[in-house]
Amino acid sequence: MVKSYLKYEHAKTFGVVTSSTSNILWTQQNRSSTGAGQAVVPANEEVLCWDIKTGDVVERWKDEKCSAQVTAIAQSKANEDLFAAGYEDGSVRLWRSKDPSPFITFNGHRSAITILAFDRSGVRLASGSKDTKVIVWDLVAEVGQFKLKGHKDQITGLQFVEPQEEVAEGEDTQAMVLDGESSSEGFLLTTGKDALIKLWDLGSRHCIETHIAQTNGECWALGLSPDYSGCITAGNAGELKVWAIDAASLAASRQRVDVPANIQYLHDRGTLFRHGKDKATEVVFHPRRDYFAVHGSEKSVEIWRIRNEAEIKKSLARKKKRRREKLAEKKKGKTNGDVEPDGEDDQEEDLSKADVNDAFAQHLIIRTGGKVKSVDWADTHGNKKLQLLASDTNNQLELFNMPLKEKKSKQEDVPDYERALSVDIPGHRADIRSLALSSDDRWLASASNGSLKIWSMLTLKCGKTLECGYALCCAFLPGDKLVVIGTKSGDIELFEVATGTLLDSVSAHEGAIWSLQVHPDGRSIVSGSADKSAKFWKVQVVQEEVLGTTRTTSRLKLSHSRTLKVADDILSLKFSPDARLLAVALLDSTVKVFFVDSLKLYLNLYGHKLPVLDMDISYDSKLIVTCSADKNIRIWGLDFGDCHKALLGHQDSILQVKFLPNNREGNGHHFFSASKDRTIKYWDGDKFEQIQRLDGHHGEIWALAISQSSEPPFIVSASHDKSIRVWEETDEQIFLEEEREKEIEELYENTLTQSLEQDLDADDENEEIGAATKQTSETLNHGERIAEALELGMADLHVMREWEEAKASNPNVAPPQRNPMFMAHGGISAEEYVMKVLQRPAASALNDALLVLPFASVPMLFTFLNLFAMRSMNIPLTCRILFFMLKTHHRQIVGSRTMRAMLDGIRTNLRKALQRQKDEMGYNIAALKIAGMQIQDRGVKEYVDENWDDGTGAQNVKKRAFVHVS
C-alpha cells in the first residue's frame, strides 16, 4: 500500500514591520483614525497598512497565488482607496482599501517592477521595470495599452506630466470643454539607470525629447514638482540635477499639429550637491509646500527648501551689491572703469536665469535609526509642522516632525527636528539567530543581535522585548518562566520572562557560544563554544548577602559543574531524549558522541566534507540526523554509528535540522531541514525520501522550532527576510509521486513561458513601442481551452445544421447525438458554450490567451463572433475580441477572400446590434432626464423672476449665480 503523509501549509507570518524591497506611502485613510495617519509598506510578499500612532496592522493585502516580493507601491490621486503594488516577478496587482484580495492583476513585464505611477484622473497606471520597458495600463478596460522601449537599462523614475492649458478670460466656455477632452492623454517623464531622461507624448506614443540626466554615471531617482514646473534627477556622488519644464508649451502643443522640430520642453537649470556623497535613491517633493526630501542608502535624509521669489531677489541683490563693492575697490586702483558688469547685473534680475544655488537651500539633515530605504511626506491638514515618514532597512518605521522656516530665524540657525513616533516593537532590528518554543507551545522566544523578544503564539503580538548581547542560541528552562541565551562574546544570560529582568550573566567561554541545550531532566544545561569546550551548568537558588547589611536574599544563579574538552570548535550539541548520550559536532566536520555520565567517547561519526552546522536525535534515541555546509543530510544509527543514508538535501548550506519530538501516528522518524536556499524540506527518515518542500521565505532560514504538544502540530521558522512564519499540519494527504509530478510540471511551465518570451523579444527588438503582452502558464491554458471550445463548437454547428436540413424533409427525424460537454452545461447551444469559455479569462489575460490561437482557428472564431453579433451576446466582449484579432492578423485577413466575405456579414450584424443598444441607451437617458426634471420641479424652488437673465452670455462670466434653496 502507498504510504500517505499529512501536508504542512503556511498559516501565519509576523515579525516584519517593513521590508527593504520597495518604497512606502503615507496615507490618511480614515479621518476618524488616529492623527498620525497610516503607513502602507511592503512586507515581503504582503502589503501592510500600519496605524503609525498605535503600532497596529490595520490592513493586510496578500494574493495567495503570488509568492514574489513587493517591489513598488503607488496610490491613486483621484481615488485614495485605490492602491497598486508591483512584484518581483513583473506582475502588478490593484487593491481596494478594506478588500483583502486584488481585483485586477496585470502581467506584462519580464522582471521586477521598479516604479509605479497613477495619472491624475486615476484611470491609467504606468509601470517601469528592470526589463527596461515602461507599460501604460488602462484601468477601466483592464488591459495594457502599450509598451515603451526607449531605455537601455532599468527604469528608475516615472511620472505623468499633465499640465492644464490656461484659458484666457476673453475666450468662451466651449474652448475650455474642448481642452478638457483633449487633456486625457498627457505626457510621461521617465529616467533610467542608463543616465537618460526621456519625455514621451502619450497621444502619439513616441519619445519627443531625450537628455543625458547625469554626467557622472547612472541616474537613480526622479522627483517631479506638484505644479509640473520642474523636476530633479539624482545620481552618484551626491549630484542632483535640476530641470525646468515648460509646462505651458507642453499644454499648448497638444492643440497644435505643426509643432516645431527644434522645440525643447526640458531645460537644464544646473546642479546641486547634497551633503551625502553616495548615490541618491529617492527624491520626494512635498505635495503642498516648497520642500523636497532626498536620501541615499546612509542613515540620514536631507530636506531642501525651494526659495520664493522675494528670497531669490534678495539673494541676487546681495550678490549684486557685493560685486559693485568689488568693482569700486578695483576702480580705486585703476583709473579707467569697466562698464560691462552693469549689463550683467541687469540680466541677473531675471529670476528664471538665476543660479540654481540661489533657488534651493538646504533646510536640515535628519539622522535616522537605520539605513533609509524610502521616505514619504505625511501631509496632515492643519499641521503647522512638516512631517516625514521614513522606513529603514533594519525593519522599522519612523515619523519625524520638523518646523517650517520661521520668518525671524536667521540663515545660520539650523532648525531642529524630533522623532515623534515609530513602529519598531513588532519586529527585530537584526536577523533572528535562534527560536525556542515553551513546553506548552504558547510562547515563542526569538533572539537576535541586541534583543530577545517573547511572542504570544495565540495573538502573534510581541509581549516583551529584552536587551541582550549578540545572541546565537536560546532555550526555555522547564516551567517556561526563564529563558537562557548564549552570546557571541561567550556570555550566558538568564532572563525572567514575566518581569523581563536579567537574573544572571556568566562569562562562560572565551569564544562564541554556538549551541545551548537543556538536559532532559531540566536541572542542568550544557553550552558548546568556539573555545573547544563544552561546559555543564546547574540552575541553583543561592543565598546572597545584601551589600552593607547582614541580611541575605535568594537569587537564581548558574553554577559551573563539569567541563568537556575537545579537539576543535564546537558548533552544535544535542542530548539524546533518554539522557544517556551527548552528541557534539566539531569544526573538523566530525560528530563525536559521548556518554553523559562519564563523558567517555562512545562513537565517532565521519562522512561530511564540511562542518556539521546542526543535528538532532529522534524521540527513541535510535537515529541521529546531521546537516552540513556541504549541502548534505546524513542519517546515522546510534547503536553502531553507521551511516544509513546520505541525502543531497538543498542547493546551499543546511543550517537547521529537527526531528518531530513525539511519535504521533508513526511519524517520530520524520524531520525538517532548513537551508540558505530559502526552503524548508520535510523528510521521512526511515524511507530516506523527501515528503514536501515548503517555499515562502525570501532569505536564508537561520532558525527552526517545532511544537511539543499542541494539536495540530506546527513548525516556526525565522529568516534573513525578518519574517517569522508558522507552518501548520493540515488534514490534506500528500503522495510522494504526485509531489514529484507537480515539481516537474512547474519546471516545465517555467521553461516554456521563458522560451516564448525570448521568441517575442527577438521579434520586436528595434521598435520603440510594442504591445503589452506576456505569456504565463495561465494564459497558455486559457488559449488551449478557447481552441478546444472552437473545435467542439464548429463540430456541433455542423451536426445541428445537418439535423435542421434533415428535419425540413422529414419532421419526425430524431435529434442528433451531441458532445457530452454541451449536455453537462445543461444542453446549451455551441455559441453559448464558446461565449462561456471566452468570458472565463480576466480582461487583462484575454488578449494574451487569444495570441495562443493559430491563424487556422481565426475563421472559426469569426464564425462565432458573427453569431454573437446576430444574437447580441455580450457586445462589448465581442467587439474587443474582433478588434484585437483584426489588429493582430491584419495582413493575413486582408489577403484572404473568404475572410473578407465573413467580415462583411459581421459588420452588418454588429452595426444592427450596436444601433439597438444606442437606441436603448438614448431612450433611457431621455427618460432619466424627464424624471430628473420632475423631481426638480417638485423639490427645488428658484427665487428668481421669470424673465431673469441668468448671465450665461460671454460678457457676464464673472457674475455670481444665485444659490438654490431646496
Side-chain angles (χ1 to χ4, degrees):
M1 184 183 160
V2 179
K3 186 174 180 184
S4 65
Y5 301 87
L6 290 177
K7 190 175 189 176
Y8 277 80
E9 278 186 354
H10 177 245
K12 296 167 256 189
T13 304
F14 58 101
V16 186
V17 178
T18 170
S19 52
S20 57
T21 53
S22 158
N23 62 311
I24 60 164
L25 293 175
W26 179 90
T27 175
Q28 186 148 16
Q29 279 289 297
N30 309 347
R31 300 287 174 265
S32 59
S33 71
T34 55
Q38 296 172 0
V40 179
V41 301
N44 295 320
E45 74 277 13
E46 298 179 304
V47 180
L48 300 182
C49 189
W50 291 95
D51 188 314
I52 301 167
K53 199 161 191 176
T54 61
D56 294 328
V57 174
V58 184
E59 285 187 70
R60 190 184 284 267
W61 299 326
K62 183 190 175 188
D63 188 354
E64 293 300 330
K65 291 178 228 159
C66 177
S67 61
Q69 284 179 296
V70 176
T71 53
I73 306 173
Q75 182 183 17
S76 170
K77 299 179 186 78
N79 176 6
E80 290 190 350
D81 285 340
L82 183 63
F83 293 87
Y87 292 80
E88 203 173 28
D89 61 357
S91 59
V92 179
R93 285 170 177 75
L94 274 93
W95 311 81
R96 284 196 191 96
S97 187
K98 304 284 181 284
D99 183 1
S101 55
F103 68 98
I104 305 178
T105 302
F106 291 129
N107 277 304
H109 289 287
R110 310 277 185 264
S111 52
I113 306 290
T114 52
I115 192 150
L116 293 168
F118 281 93
D119 72 346
R120 189 171 46 208
S121 58
V123 296
R124 285 177 303 169
L125 173 73
S127 60
S129 165
K130 280 188 179 174
D131 66 3
T132 75
K133 314 289 192 295
V134 174
I135 296 182
V136 179
W137 307 92
D138 183 341
L139 305 186
V140 179
E142 300 183 13
V143 292
Q145 289 185 325
F146 49 87
K147 185 186 284 186
L148 304 172
K149 302 188 285 191
H151 286 282
K152 296 286 178 275
D153 209 332
Q154 75 176 58
I155 309 297
T156 55
L158 186 70
Q159 294 285 354
F160 277 96
V161 182
E162 300 168 283
Q164 294 288 333
E165 192 170 359
E166 292 173 14
V167 180
E169 278 186 36
E171 289 182 27
D172 62 353
T173 51
Q174 196 174 3
M176 292 175 71
V177 173
L178 283 169
D179 177 57
E181 284 173 8
S182 69
S183 67
S184 59
E185 293 289 340
F187 300 87
L188 193 69
L189 195 62
T190 62
T191 57
K193 200 174 147 188
D194 55 3
L196 297 178
I197 180 167
K198 285 177 174 280
L199 185 64
W200 304 82
D201 183 345
L202 297 179
S204 58
R205 298 181 183 181
H206 75 291
C207 179
I208 54 174
E209 210 168 308
T210 303
H211 297 271
I212 293 173
Q214 305 302 131
T215 51
N216 62 350
E218 301 94 339
C219 174
W220 290 105
L222 168 71
L224 179 70
S225 65
D227 60 353
Y228 306 127
S229 61
C231 66
I232 291 176
T233 57
N236 297 324
E239 182 185 87
L240 302 174
K241 197 169 263 196
V242 182
W243 301 84
I245 299 172
D246 191 349
S249 301
L250 264 181
S253 72
R254 285 201 300 255
Q255 304 292 334
R256 294 172 59 187
V257 180
D258 55 335
V259 180
N262 59 351
I263 192 166
Q264 279 200 350
Y265 303 109
L266 280 174
H267 304 283
D268 185 356
R269 285 294 312 279
T271 306
L272 298 169
F273 287 94
R274 62 191 197 89
H275 195 267
K277 286 290 169 266
D278 67 334
K279 67 179 187 191
T281 53
E282 203 173 30
V283 179
V284 185
F285 277 83
H286 194 286
R288 288 186 303 117
R289 302 185 191 276
D290 291 335
Y291 290 86
F292 69 87
V294 57
H295 69 86
S297 53
E298 72 274 11
K299 292 185 177 182
S300 64
V301 182
E302 294 177 37
I303 310 298
W304 288 71
R305 190 171 58 81
I306 305 165
R307 288 176 171 155
N308 56 31
E309 287 187 14
E311 285 179 292
I312 298 173
K313 278 179 182 170
K314 201 184 284 182
S315 170
L316 291 176
R318 200 181 297 124
K319 279 189 178 178
K320 194 174 174 182
K321 187 181 173 186
R322 205 172 295 139
R323 231 181 354 261
R324 278 183 182 157
E325 284 171 4
K326 281 185 182 176
L327 201 63
E329 283 173 20
K330 280 184 185 176
K331 277 185 182 177
K332 282 179 188 174
K334 292 180 183 180
T335 49
N336 56 339
D338 201 353
V339 194
E340 271 183 88
D342 286 339
E344 280 181 23
D345 290 348
D346 294 339
Q347 283 176 357
E348 284 285 357
E349 285 302 316
D350 183 9
L351 292 183
S352 64
K353 300 283 191 299
D355 184 24
V356 72
N357 290 305
D358 294 329
F360 297 91
Q362 200 163 40
H363 186 52
L364 75 149
I365 298 175
I366 294 174
R367 304 286 173 199
T368 54
K371 288 183 177 176
V372 186
K373 170 58 192 172
S374 177
V375 297
D376 196 19
W377 292 100
D379 184 25
T380 41
H381 289 281
N383 199 339
K384 295 289 186 286
K385 290 182 177 179
L386 288 173
Q387 286 191 313
L388 188 77
L389 177 70
S391 86
D392 303 338
T393 53
N394 63 356
N395 200 25
Q396 66 176 337
L397 287 169
E398 298 175 299
L399 186 72
F400 295 95
N401 283 348
M402 54 203 126
L404 295 160
K405 184 179 183 297
E406 302 294 331
K407 287 180 184 174
K408 295 174 187 175
S409 73
K410 293 176 185 171
Q411 201 67 28
E412 291 78 38
D413 295 337
V414 178
D416 290 316
Y417 63 91
E418 58 169 352
R419 180 182 168 187
L421 295 164
S422 68
V423 181
D424 51 10
I425 290 170
H428 282 274
R429 301 288 77 74
D431 284 8
I432 296 166
R433 297 304 297 269
S434 181
L435 290 172
L437 279 161
S438 62
S439 59
D440 58 1
D441 298 329
R442 287 175 59 192
W443 302 99
L444 174 76
S446 61
S448 72
N449 179 6
S451 66
L452 169 72
K453 287 184 183 281
I454 311 293
W455 306 82
S456 162
M457 289 306 291
L458 198 65
T459 61
L460 304 183
K461 296 265 175 75
C462 177
K464 282 267 188 308
T465 301
L466 318 173
E467 279 188 24
C468 64
Y470 194 142
L472 295 174
C473 47
C474 69
F476 274 97
L477 292 181
D480 302 331
K481 300 273 196 306
L482 307 173
V483 175
V484 62
I485 68 161
T487 67
K488 201 173 183 178
S489 57
D491 299 337
I492 295 178
E493 296 176 2
L494 188 65
F495 290 94
E496 187 176 13
V497 174
T499 59
T501 52
L502 176 65
L503 297 177
D504 195 11
S505 180
V506 183
S507 293
H509 293 271
E510 289 161 17
I513 299 172
W514 289 109
S515 188
L516 200 66
Q517 281 293 315
V518 181
H519 193 282
D521 68 3
R523 291 178 186 169
S524 64
I525 59 173
V526 61
S527 59
S529 163
D531 67 359
K532 304 179 184 177
S533 67
K535 293 186 179 178
F536 292 78
W537 308 84
K538 284 183 179 168
V539 184
Q540 294 179 330
V541 179
V542 180
Q543 297 297 323
E544 266 194 357
E545 283 188 15
V546 178
L547 285 173
T549 66
T550 55
R551 288 185 293 115
T552 59
T553 178
S554 54
R555 255 191 78 186
L556 269 172
K557 282 190 81 96
L558 292 167
S559 61
H560 178 220
S561 58
R562 295 189 290 172
T563 304
L564 169 68
K565 294 273 186 189
V566 288
D568 216 332
D569 295 14
I570 295 175
L571 297 180
S572 179
L573 291 163
K574 196 74 193 175
F575 279 110
S576 62
D578 62 7
R580 198 169 66 89
L581 303 170
L582 174 70
V584 180
L586 304 183
L587 194 63
D588 63 4
S589 310
T590 64
V591 176
K592 297 190 182 328
V593 184
F594 296 91
F595 289 107
V596 173
D597 49 4
S598 63
L599 294 186
K600 284 187 176 171
L601 183 65
Y602 169 52
L603 292 170
N604 245 331
L605 308 179
Y606 297 99
H608 284 290
K609 295 178 180 66
L610 288 170
V612 172
L613 302 176
D614 194 28
M615 57 190 175
D616 200 11
I617 298 172
S618 64
Y619 77 102
D620 53 8
S621 305
K622 285 182 180 172
L623 291 182
I624 179 169
V625 62
T626 58
C627 67
S628 161
D630 63 9
K631 309 174 193 173
N632 281 310
I633 297 167
R634 282 177 181 263
I635 302 162
W636 319 72
L638 268 180
D639 38 9
F640 302 110
D642 56 324
C643 178
H644 291 184
K645 188 75 174 173
L647 303 161
L648 179 62
H650 291 266
Q651 306 297 316
D652 209 332
S653 302
I654 305 169
L655 301 173
Q656 292 276 305
V657 65
K658 292 272 183 292
F659 269 111
L660 287 169
N662 36 34
N663 190 28
R664 193 175 141 275
E665 296 173 12
N667 63 2
H669 286 178
H670 296 180
F671 62 89
F672 288 91
S673 63
S675 163
K676 274 189 177 179
D677 69 1
R678 308 173 181 188
T679 61
I680 299 169
K681 290 189 177 179
Y682 182 27
W683 304 85
D684 185 335
D686 291 327
K687 291 193 168 184
F688 317 127
E689 283 190 296
Q690 178 189 322
I691 301 166
Q692 195 186 350
R693 189 182 77 204
L694 303 173
D695 295 304
H697 278 294
H698 300 282
E700 52 266 33
I701 299 162
W702 290 113
L704 203 61
I706 300 188
S707 64
Q708 304 287 323
S709 53
S710 64
E711 285 289 328
F714 63 86
I715 62 168
V716 187
S717 57
S719 163
H720 172 65
D721 63 16
K722 304 287 191 295
S723 69
I724 304 173
R725 289 172 194 258
V726 182
W727 314 79
E728 284 182 355
E729 188 182 83
T730 60
D731 294 331
E732 189 184 337
Q733 290 189 330
I734 50 174
F735 298 92
L736 301 186
E737 290 298 317
E738 286 178 15
E739 287 297 302
R740 300 293 161 275
E741 280 172 20
K742 269 185 204 166
E743 283 180 22
I744 291 164
E745 270 176 33
E746 274 175 32
L747 201 65
Y748 169 69
E749 281 176 3
N750 287 342
T751 50
L752 181 67
T753 49
Q754 279 169 9
S755 63
L756 279 168
E757 283 164 20
Q758 284 162 4
D759 294 347
L760 285 168
D761 285 347
D763 289 347
D764 53 3
E765 207 165 304
N766 301 319
E767 298 287 325
E768 192 181 55
I769 186 166
T773 61
K774 183 190 178 186
Q775 289 298 350
T776 62
S777 55
E778 189 187 2
T779 57
L780 287 173
N781 289 339
H782 281 308
E784 285 168 8
R785 285 193 199 114
I786 291 168
E788 199 178 303
L790 289 173
E791 284 173 14
L792 280 176
M794 285 305 287
D796 192 66
L797 285 179
H798 286 309
V799 168
M800 294 307 285
R801 195 180 300 125
E802 284 170 10
W803 180 62
E804 293 288 343
E805 286 168 6
K807 199 178 176 185
S809 57
N810 179 13
N812 299 324
V813 70
Q817 183 69 40
R818 294 178 72 201
N819 192 296
M821 188 63 79
F822 301 110
M823 299 297 118
H825 284 82
I828 58 175
S829 65
E831 56 270 27
E832 283 175 313
Y833 174 66
V834 173
M835 177 54 86
K836 260 190 177 181
V837 174
L838 286 169
Q839 282 172 336
R840 263 181 219 151
S844 53
L846 180 62
N847 289 0
D848 294 335
L850 290 170
L851 284 176
V852 176
L853 295 180
F855 184 69
S857 303
V858 174
M860 293 195 274
L861 180 62
F862 275 42
T863 305
F864 282 102
L865 290 176
N866 193 15
L867 288 168
F868 299 155
M870 278 167 67
R871 312 257 168 96
S872 294
M873 292 166 69
N874 198 340
I875 293 298
L877 182 67
T878 305
C879 292
R880 215 181 116 202
I881 294 169
L882 177 65
F883 298 146
F884 178 74
M885 295 312 279
L886 286 172
K887 204 188 295 179
T888 309
H889 301 289
H890 182 258
R891 286 178 189 167
Q892 293 96 317
I893 291 169
V894 168
S896 164
R897 285 184 183 176
T898 50
M899 296 288 286
R900 214 175 302 164
M902 199 182 278
L903 282 171
D904 279 337
I906 294 175
R907 184 176 60 183
T908 311
N909 290 326
L910 204 54
R911 279 189 178 167
K912 282 179 189 168
L914 288 169
Q915 190 61 46
R916 276 199 302 274
Q917 286 205 343
K918 189 181 171 188
D919 294 346
E920 197 176 296
M921 282 178 184
Y923 183 80
N924 288 341
I925 288 167
L928 285 169
K929 277 182 182 171
I930 291 166
M933 283 159 66
Q934 287 173 348
I935 291 164
Q936 198 171 2
D937 286 346
R938 283 182 203 148
V940 178
K941 295 286 180 244
E942 294 186 0
Y943 292 105
V944 290
D945 297 335
E946 282 182 14
N947 58 351
W948 173 261
D949 177 15
D950 62 352
T952 50
Q955 72 278 9
N956 293 326
V957 170
K958 298 273 183 178
K959 279 193 180 179
R960 286 173 62 184
F962 280 93
V963 179
H964 288 194
V965 181
S966 49

